[in-house]
Amino acid sequence: MQRFSLDEISQMEQRYRAAFINSLSGFKSANLVGTQSAQGVHNLALVSSVFHLGASPALMGMIIRPHTVRRDTLENIMQTGFYTINHVNALMVAAAHQTSARYDANISEFDEVGLSPQLEADFPAPYVLESHIKIGLRLEQIQPIAINQTELLIGAVEQVIIDDETIIKADGYVDIEAVNSVAISSLDGYHSTQSHGRFHYAKANVKPSKLID
Amino acid sequence: MQRFSLDEISQMEQRYRAAFINSLSGFKSANLVGTQSAQGVHNLALVSSVFHLGASPALMGMIIRPHTVRRDTLENIMQTGFYTINHVNALMVAAAHQTSARYDANISEFDEVGLSPQLEADFPAPYVLESHIKIGLRLEQIQPIAINQTELLIGAVEQVIIDDETIIKADGYVDIEAVNSVAISSLDGYHSTQSHGRFHYAKANVKPSKLID
């Protein structure tokens, strides 16, 4: 067993600490964020910080560090007000990871990594054709996180595109494992999943049981 | 292929929409949050909304809905200023899920679901003995998310306990799959993972390659 105190964590070498601390929250979602600049250049960025914020209204959160490689994404979202979130699946892991390289603002990551923009007439940001679960969002607000100068982007879900409708179950659950969506660990680990089943809504006087195995 | 417009999403039945929208962000972390009331009662709650907020300083975020079953957790954190985050592993999925039942405030979920509080002399919140990755946090701030009346709790990492130090790699990466940490989909799906390897830091003029297979 190993314990780390606040002092020991503070004294870790910077990149070591980044890998270590990024591991601690557990598995992260793996999404590609698609945007378009005012000049019409498509941008695609791997983001592991997308999270569920609420179902009614349908909202998704995303943490952006303004002083990193993600700047094009943030600027495009602020200029156009729209972006897409596209699940990374097992077949696109290498291409998705490669979008995190520092490409110039006038270069489309779609072209560079070999993914295809999917343009919808009624939505002003590119989806990823190869992704099986795609969400179109309108920027609702940007909430600064003063403590570490990051930004919480809150997006309202405007459109959802699901390739294979059979993964949507009768109660609304979407079987994201069935389309090979992956999870991320730390900064650079990618993982497919294997289900333990779904559990019934928990009640205080009833033993836990599986809804679906 | 199925598309959903904003209107169609708004018209979904409430529980259906909750399951559907909760699926869209991708895989979520699976953590048990341990707290202690001013009266000394332990509380344990499954939370799928923990996310990485920053490595320097080391910060973790967590979204709490104040008007749900999580109220004890929020009140304890506000009263004591401390909480623990403990990875759910494959062996504790049923017990972890069961903590989401509505137990009275004077009842310890540890006792009810069969998990063991691990008390550390220097930390005022209980860890979960059966968990392999445990983080002790001090509440840094609560940031209201006005748009849907949720709260973003920001915690500073004060202490980390890792059972098996061999899962900490030379560069700081913690192999959370090796200790069977699980991921959550939607509201009630639990998943183990299978690694696709780790990738080198992406560079614009270099093809993506694996650091570890």
PDB file of all heavy atoms in Angstrom, chain A residues 66-87:
ATOM      1  N   PRO A  66      -8.002  27.103 -21.386  1.00  0.00           N
ATOM      2  CA  PRO A  66      -7.834  28.059 -22.495  1.00  0.00           C
ATOM      3  C   PRO A  66      -6.398  28.197 -22.969  1.00  0.00           C
ATOM      4  O   PRO A  66      -6.168  28.607 -24.098  1.00  0.00           O
ATOM      5  CB  PRO A  66      -8.316  29.387 -21.906  1.00  0.00           C
ATOM      6  CG  PRO A  66      -9.120  29.019 -20.706  1.00  0.00           C
ATOM      7  CD  PRO A  66      -8.540  27.740 -20.191  1.00  0.00           C
ATOM      8  N   HIS A  67      -5.443  27.858 -22.149  1.00  0.00           N
ATOM      9  CA  HIS A  67      -4.058  28.109 -22.530  1.00  0.00           C
ATOM     10  C   HIS A  67      -3.370  26.875 -23.089  1.00  0.00           C
ATOM     11  O   HIS A  67      -2.159  26.757 -23.083  1.00  0.00           O
ATOM     12  CB  HIS A  67      -3.290  28.675 -21.338  1.00  0.00           C
ATOM     13  CG  HIS A  67      -3.952  29.893 -20.802  1.00  0.00           C
ATOM     14  ND1 HIS A  67      -4.101  31.043 -21.540  1.00  0.00           N
ATOM     15  CD2 HIS A  67      -4.584  30.112 -19.627  1.00  0.00           C
ATOM     16  CE1 HIS A  67      -4.762  31.938 -20.829  1.00  0.00           C
ATOM     17  NE2 HIS A  67      -5.074  31.398 -19.675  1.00  0.00           N
ATOM     18  N   THR A  68      -4.160  25.931 -23.596  1.00  0.00           N
ATOM     19  CA  THR A  68      -3.564  24.724 -24.172  1.00  0.00           C
ATOM     20  C   THR A  68      -3.965  24.613 -25.638  1.00  0.00           C
ATOM     21  O   THR A  68      -4.542  25.514 -26.218  1.00  0.00           O
ATOM     22  CB  THR A  68      -4.041  23.458 -23.431  1.00  0.00           C
ATOM     23  OG1 THR A  68      -5.424  23.272 -23.737  1.00  0.00           O
ATOM     24  CG2 THR A  68      -3.849  23.586 -21.942  1.00  0.00           C
ATOM     25  N   VAL A  69      -3.677  23.461 -26.191  1.00  0.00           N
ATOM     26  CA  VAL A  69      -3.943  23.135 -27.589  1.00  0.00           C
ATOM     27  C   VAL A  69      -5.427  23.274 -27.957  1.00  0.00           C
ATOM     28  O   VAL A  69      -5.772  23.393 -29.114  1.00  0.00           O
ATOM     29  CB  VAL A  69      -3.439  21.703 -27.876  1.00  0.00           C
ATOM     30  CG1 VAL A  69      -4.248  20.680 -27.125  1.00  0.00           C
ATOM     31  CG2 VAL A  69      -3.421  21.384 -29.350  1.00  0.00           C
ATOM     32  N   ARG A  70      -6.292  23.296 -26.980  1.00  0.00           N
ATOM     33  CA  ARG A  70      -7.735  23.337 -27.242  1.00  0.00           C
ATOM     34  C   ARG A  70      -8.237  24.719 -27.663  1.00  0.00           C
ATOM     35  O   ARG A  70      -9.414  24.932 -27.789  1.00  0.00           O
ATOM     36  CB  ARG A  70      -8.521  22.922 -25.992  1.00  0.00           C
ATOM     37  CG  ARG A  70      -8.205  21.553 -25.477  1.00  0.00           C
ATOM     38  CD  ARG A  70      -9.063  20.497 -26.163  1.00  0.00           C
ATOM     39  NE  ARG A  70      -8.481  19.198 -25.941  1.00  0.00           N
ATOM     40  CZ  ARG A  70      -7.641  18.627 -26.800  1.00  0.00           C
ATOM     41  NH1 ARG A  70      -7.332  19.214 -27.931  1.00  0.00           N
ATOM     42  NH2 ARG A  70      -7.128  17.457 -26.524  1.00  0.00           N
ATOM     43  N   ARG A  71      -7.350  25.696 -27.831  1.00  0.00           N
ATOM     44  CA  ARG A  71      -7.798  27.068 -28.032  1.00  0.00           C
ATOM     45  C   ARG A  71      -8.684  27.239 -29.265  1.00  0.00           C
ATOM     46  O   ARG A  71      -9.667  27.968 -29.227  1.00  0.00           O
ATOM     47  CB  ARG A  71      -6.598  28.007 -28.122  1.00  0.00           C
ATOM     48  CG  ARG A  71      -6.839  29.340 -27.474  1.00  0.00           C
ATOM     49  CD  ARG A  71      -5.642  30.233 -27.657  1.00  0.00           C
ATOM     50  NE  ARG A  71      -5.206  30.226 -29.057  1.00  0.00           N
ATOM     51  CZ  ARG A  71      -4.171  30.902 -29.515  1.00  0.00           C
ATOM     52  NH1 ARG A  71      -3.441  31.605 -28.677  1.00  0.00           N
ATOM     53  NH2 ARG A  71      -3.840  30.863 -30.776  1.00  0.00           N
ATOM     54  N   ASP A  72      -8.353  26.562 -30.369  1.00  0.00           N
ATOM     55  CA  ASP A  72      -9.190  26.668 -31.575  1.00  0.00           C
ATOM     56  C   ASP A  72     -10.619  26.255 -31.268  1.00  0.00           C
ATOM     57  O   ASP A  72     -11.571  26.896 -31.704  1.00  0.00           O
ATOM     58  CB  ASP A  72      -8.652  25.761 -32.690  1.00  0.00           C
ATOM     59  CG  ASP A  72      -7.300  26.233 -33.218  1.00  0.00           C
ATOM     60  OD1 ASP A  72      -6.903  27.363 -32.904  1.00  0.00           O
ATOM     61  OD2 ASP A  72      -6.667  25.450 -33.938  1.00  0.00           O
ATOM     62  N   THR A  73     -10.759  25.168 -30.534  1.00  0.00           N
ATOM     63  CA  THR A  73     -12.089  24.679 -30.194  1.00  0.00           C
ATOM     64  C   THR A  73     -12.863  25.735 -29.420  1.00  0.00           C
ATOM     65  O   THR A  73     -14.004  26.061 -29.767  1.00  0.00           O
ATOM     66  CB  THR A  73     -11.972  23.388 -29.342  1.00  0.00           C
ATOM     67  OG1 THR A  73     -11.327  22.388 -30.129  1.00  0.00           O
ATOM     68  CG2 THR A  73     -13.329  22.896 -28.897  1.00  0.00           C
ATOM     69  N   LEU A  74     -12.244  26.293 -28.405  1.00  0.00           N
ATOM     70  CA  LEU A  74     -12.920  27.291 -27.579  1.00  0.00           C
ATOM     71  C   LEU A  74     -13.275  28.529 -28.404  1.00  0.00           C
ATOM     72  O   LEU A  74     -14.394  29.041 -28.331  1.00  0.00           O
ATOM     73  CB  LEU A  74     -12.030  27.666 -26.390  1.00  0.00           C
ATOM     74  CG  LEU A  74     -12.604  28.681 -25.400  1.00  0.00           C
ATOM     75  CD1 LEU A  74     -13.915  28.182 -24.797  1.00  0.00           C
ATOM     76  CD2 LEU A  74     -11.596  28.974 -24.283  1.00  0.00           C
ATOM     77  N   GLU A  75     -12.325  28.985 -29.214  1.00  0.00           N
ATOM     78  CA  GLU A  75     -12.594  30.181 -30.027  1.00  0.00           C
ATOM     79  C   GLU A  75     -13.723  29.944 -31.030  1.00  0.00           C
ATOM     80  O   GLU A  75     -14.590  30.795 -31.217  1.00  0.00           O
ATOM     81  CB  GLU A  75     -11.324  30.626 -30.754  1.00  0.00           C
ATOM     82  CG  GLU A  75     -10.433  31.439 -29.829  1.00  0.00           C
ATOM     83  CD  GLU A  75      -9.112  31.848 -30.477  1.00  0.00           C
ATOM     84  OE1 GLU A  75      -8.955  31.684 -31.698  1.00  0.00           O
ATOM     85  OE2 GLU A  75      -8.249  32.325 -29.722  1.00  0.00           O
ATOM     86  N   ASN A  76     -13.706  28.782 -31.667  1.00  0.00           N
ATOM     87  CA  ASN A  76     -14.779  28.477 -32.624  1.00  0.00           C
ATOM     88  C   ASN A  76     -16.143  28.429 -31.940  1.00  0.00           C
ATOM     89  O   ASN A  76     -17.129  28.924 -32.475  1.00  0.00           O
ATOM     90  CB  ASN A  76     -14.511  27.137 -33.313  1.00  0.00           C
ATOM     91  CG  ASN A  76     -13.341  27.195 -34.271  1.00  0.00           C
ATOM     92  OD1 ASN A  76     -12.834  28.279 -34.582  1.00  0.00           O
ATOM     93  ND2 ASN A  76     -12.899  26.040 -34.739  1.00  0.00           N
ATOM     94  N   ILE A  77     -16.180  27.816 -30.775  1.00  0.00           N
ATOM     95  CA  ILE A  77     -17.463  27.713 -30.059  1.00  0.00           C
ATOM     96  C   ILE A  77     -17.947  29.102 -29.669  1.00  0.00           C
ATOM     97  O   ILE A  77     -19.129  29.432 -29.802  1.00  0.00           O
ATOM     98  CB  ILE A  77     -17.331  26.800 -28.820  1.00  0.00           C
ATOM     99  CG1 ILE A  77     -17.064  25.355 -29.255  1.00  0.00           C
ATOM    100  CG2 ILE A  77     -18.585  26.879 -27.958  1.00  0.00           C
ATOM    101  CD1 ILE A  77     -16.775  24.396 -28.102  1.00  0.00           C
ATOM    102  N   MET A  78     -17.028  29.937 -29.211  1.00  0.00           N
ATOM    103  CA  MET A  78     -17.437  31.284 -28.812  1.00  0.00           C
ATOM    104  C   MET A  78     -17.897  32.105 -30.012  1.00  0.00           C
ATOM    105  O   MET A  78     -18.817  32.911 -29.913  1.00  0.00           O
ATOM    106  CB  MET A  78     -16.294  31.979 -28.071  1.00  0.00           C
ATOM    107  CG  MET A  78     -16.086  31.393 -26.674  1.00  0.00           C
ATOM    108  SD  MET A  78     -14.579  31.975 -25.850  1.00  0.00           S
ATOM    109  CE  MET A  78     -15.021  33.669 -25.507  1.00  0.00           C
ATOM    110  N   GLN A  79     -17.256  31.883 -31.157  1.00  0.00           N
ATOM    111  CA  GLN A  79     -17.633  32.663 -32.348  1.00  0.00           C
ATOM    112  C   GLN A  79     -18.939  32.185 -32.973  1.00  0.00           C
ATOM    113  O   GLN A  79     -19.762  32.990 -33.394  1.00  0.00           O
ATOM    114  CB  GLN A  79     -16.509  32.593 -33.388  1.00  0.00           C
ATOM    115  CG  GLN A  79     -15.357  33.527 -33.051  1.00  0.00           C
ATOM    116  CD  GLN A  79     -14.309  33.563 -34.150  1.00  0.00           C
ATOM    117  OE1 GLN A  79     -14.478  32.983 -35.216  1.00  0.00           O
ATOM    118  NE2 GLN A  79     -13.223  34.264 -33.890  1.00  0.00           N
ATOM    119  N   THR A  80     -19.116  30.878 -33.052  1.00  0.00           N
ATOM    120  CA  THR A  80     -20.296  30.364 -33.763  1.00  0.00           C
ATOM    121  C   THR A  80     -21.440  29.994 -32.822  1.00  0.00           C
ATOM    122  O   THR A  80     -22.596  29.961 -33.232  1.00  0.00           O
ATOM    123  CB  THR A  80     -19.947  29.097 -34.579  1.00  0.00           C
ATOM    124  OG1 THR A  80     -19.611  28.042 -33.653  1.00  0.00           O
ATOM    125  CG2 THR A  80     -18.770  29.349 -35.505  1.00  0.00           C
ATOM    126  N   GLY A  81     -21.101  29.669 -31.566  1.00  0.00           N
ATOM    127  CA  GLY A  81     -22.132  29.286 -30.602  1.00  0.00           C
ATOM    128  C   GLY A  81     -22.575  27.840 -30.689  1.00  0.00           C
ATOM    129  O   GLY A  81     -23.487  27.435 -29.972  1.00  0.00           O
ATOM    130  N   PHE A  82     -21.925  27.031 -31.542  1.00  0.00           N
ATOM    131  CA  PHE A  82     -22.353  25.642 -31.722  1.00  0.00           C
ATOM    132  C   PHE A  82     -21.158  24.695 -31.770  1.00  0.00           C
ATOM    133  O   PHE A  82     -20.066  25.075 -32.186  1.00  0.00           O
ATOM    134  CB  PHE A  82     -23.168  25.495 -33.015  1.00  0.00           C
ATOM    135  CG  PHE A  82     -24.511  26.159 -32.928  1.00  0.00           C
ATOM    136  CD1 PHE A  82     -24.668  27.490 -33.330  1.00  0.00           C
ATOM    137  CD2 PHE A  82     -25.609  25.478 -32.427  1.00  0.00           C
ATOM    138  CE1 PHE A  82     -25.909  28.124 -33.230  1.00  0.00           C
ATOM    139  CE2 PHE A  82     -26.850  26.105 -32.328  1.00  0.00           C
ATOM    140  CZ  PHE A  82     -27.000  27.433 -32.732  1.00  0.00           C
ATOM    141  N   TYR A  83     -21.400  23.439 -31.366  1.00  0.00           N
ATOM    142  CA  TYR A  83     -20.368  22.411 -31.469  1.00  0.00           C
ATOM    143  C   TYR A  83     -21.026  21.042 -31.451  1.00  0.00           C
ATOM    144  O   TYR A  83     -22.209  20.912 -31.103  1.00  0.00           O
ATOM    145  CB  TYR A  83     -19.326  22.537 -30.348  1.00  0.00           C
ATOM    146  CG  TYR A  83     -19.842  22.557 -28.919  1.00  0.00           C
ATOM    147  CD1 TYR A  83     -19.621  21.475 -28.057  1.00  0.00           C
ATOM    148  CD2 TYR A  83     -20.523  23.662 -28.407  1.00  0.00           C
ATOM    149  CE1 TYR A  83     -20.050  21.497 -26.740  1.00  0.00           C
ATOM    150  CE2 TYR A  83     -20.967  23.690 -27.087  1.00  0.00           C
ATOM    151  CZ  TYR A  83     -20.740  22.611 -26.268  1.00  0.00           C
ATOM    152  OH  TYR A  83     -21.179  22.632 -24.966  1.00  0.00           O
ATOM    153  N   THR A  84     -20.269  20.034 -31.863  1.00  0.00           N
ATOM    154  CA  THR A  84     -20.782  18.668 -31.812  1.00  0.00           C
ATOM    155  C   THR A  84     -19.908  17.834 -30.874  1.00  0.00           C
ATOM    156  O   THR A  84     -18.723  18.111 -30.699  1.00  0.00           O
ATOM    157  CB  THR A  84     -20.778  17.977 -33.198  1.00  0.00           C
ATOM    158  OG1 THR A  84     -19.421  17.747 -33.611  1.00  0.00           O
ATOM    159  CG2 THR A  84     -21.502  18.826 -34.245  1.00  0.00           C
ATOM    160  N   ILE A  85     -20.527  16.832 -30.271  1.00  0.00           N
ATOM    161  CA  ILE A  85     -19.810  15.854 -29.449  1.00  0.00           C
ATOM    162  C   ILE A  85     -20.058  14.494 -30.089  1.00  0.00           C
ATOM    163  O   ILE A  85     -21.209  14.145 -30.353  1.00  0.00           O
ATOM    164  CB  ILE A  85     -20.302  15.913 -27.987  1.00  0.00           C
ATOM    165  CG1 ILE A  85     -19.761  17.186 -27.322  1.00  0.00           C
ATOM    166  CG2 ILE A  85     -19.901  14.668 -27.211  1.00  0.00           C
ATOM    167  CD1 ILE A  85     -20.198  17.382 -25.891  1.00  0.00           C
ATOM    168  N   ASN A  86     -18.983  13.774 -30.357  1.00  0.00           N
ATOM    169  CA  ASN A  86     -19.057  12.519 -31.109  1.00  0.00           C
ATOM    170  C   ASN A  86     -18.306  11.438 -30.343  1.00  0.00           C
ATOM    171  O   ASN A  86     -17.105  11.608 -30.051  1.00  0.00           O
ATOM    172  CB  ASN A  86     -18.399  12.706 -32.486  1.00  0.00           C
ATOM    173  CG  ASN A  86     -18.931  13.904 -33.252  1.00  0.00           C
ATOM    174  OD1 ASN A  86     -19.849  13.793 -34.041  1.00  0.00           O
ATOM    175  ND2 ASN A  86     -18.352  15.092 -33.006  1.00  0.00           N
ATOM    176  N   HIS A  87     -18.983  10.336 -30.035  1.00  0.00           N
ATOM    177  CA  HIS A  87     -18.310   9.262 -29.289  1.00  0.00           C
ATOM    178  C   HIS A  87     -17.149   8.696 -30.095  1.00  0.00           C
ATOM    179  O   HIS A  87     -17.298   8.401 -31.286  1.00  0.00           O
ATOM    180  CB  HIS A  87     -19.290   8.112 -29.014  1.00  0.00           C
ATOM    181  CG  HIS A  87     -20.197   8.353 -27.860  1.00  0.00           C
ATOM    182  ND1 HIS A  87     -20.643   7.339 -27.042  1.00  0.00           N
ATOM    183  CD2 HIS A  87     -20.732   9.483 -27.365  1.00  0.00           C
ATOM    184  CE1 HIS A  87     -21.440   7.842 -26.104  1.00  0.00           C
ATOM    185  NE2 HIS A  87     -21.517   9.142 -26.282  1.00  0.00           N
TER     186      HIS A  87
END
